[in-house]
Amino acid sequence: MNSSRPYLVRALYEWIVDNDCTPHMLVNSDYPKVQVPQGFASDGQIVLNVSPTAVRQLHMDNEAVSFEGRFGGVPHTLYVPIAAILGVYARENGQGMVFDLEEPVDGDDEVEPDDDGPPPGTEPPRPTGRPSLKVVK
C-alpha cells in the first residue's frame, strides 16, 4: 500500500483551514531534497506557516509540498518531500498530528546482505488474515 502520510497531511491542512486556524508544518530540514532557507532552521528542524495568506502557489501531492513564501521579507521557493514532514498542527491550539521519522529511501544505494541476519530496518512477514493497526496519539 502507498504511504498514508501525504493523504493525512492534506486532510489535516484542510481541516485546520476549515476551522479558521493557521496550519503549521514541522519539517526535518536535514532530510534529502528539502529546500528551505537554512538560516531559519534550528536543530535540523523548521516550522513553516502554510496558511493560505502566508504562502503562494501551494501544491501538495503524494511526493512533496511546494510553495513560495517570504522569510525576513525575502521570497523563497520551498520544496518539502512528504517524508520530511514531521507534523501538521494548528498554531492557535496545537491540534494536529505528529508523524514518525522516516528514513530516506535512496534507490541508488542497495543494501548488501550479510550473514548476521536480515538487513537493518526489515521486519519479518506478518501472519495473513489479521489486520495490524498502530495507535497514533
Side-chain angles (χ1 to χ4, degrees), residues 30-119:
D30 294 333
Y31 197 87
K33 298 185 182 177
V34 168
Q35 296 174 3
V36 296
Q38 292 299 316
F40 294 88
S42 175
D43 296 326
Q45 297 181 345
I46 187 169
V47 175
L48 303 172
N49 176 350
V50 289
S51 70
T53 58
V55 301
R56 292 178 37 174
Q57 298 181 358
L58 178 65
H59 178 75
M60 294 188 215
D61 61 24
N62 290 351
E63 304 301 318
V65 174
S66 61
F67 58 92
E68 293 178 6
R70 292 173 103 46
F71 290 81
V74 179
H76 291 271
T77 299
L78 289 83
Y79 180 85
V80 180
I82 290 293
I85 298 172
L86 301 174
V88 179
Y89 63 94
R91 176 181 67 195
E92 291 78 4
N93 57 20
Q95 292 282 321
M97 184 179 291
V98 177
F99 301 106
D100 290 335
L101 180 64
E102 282 191 18
E103 294 298 321
V105 176
D106 186 9
D108 297 335
D109 297 332
E110 293 189 22
V111 178
E112 293 289 328
D114 57 35
D115 295 333
D116 295 336

Side-chain angles (χ1 to χ4, degrees), residues 13-29:
Y13 175 86
E14 188 174 325
W15 173 67
I16 292 167
V17 170
D18 284 353
N19 283 284
D20 295 322
C21 291
T22 309
H24 279 61
M25 286 185 184
L26 176 62
V27 174
N28 176 352
S29 61

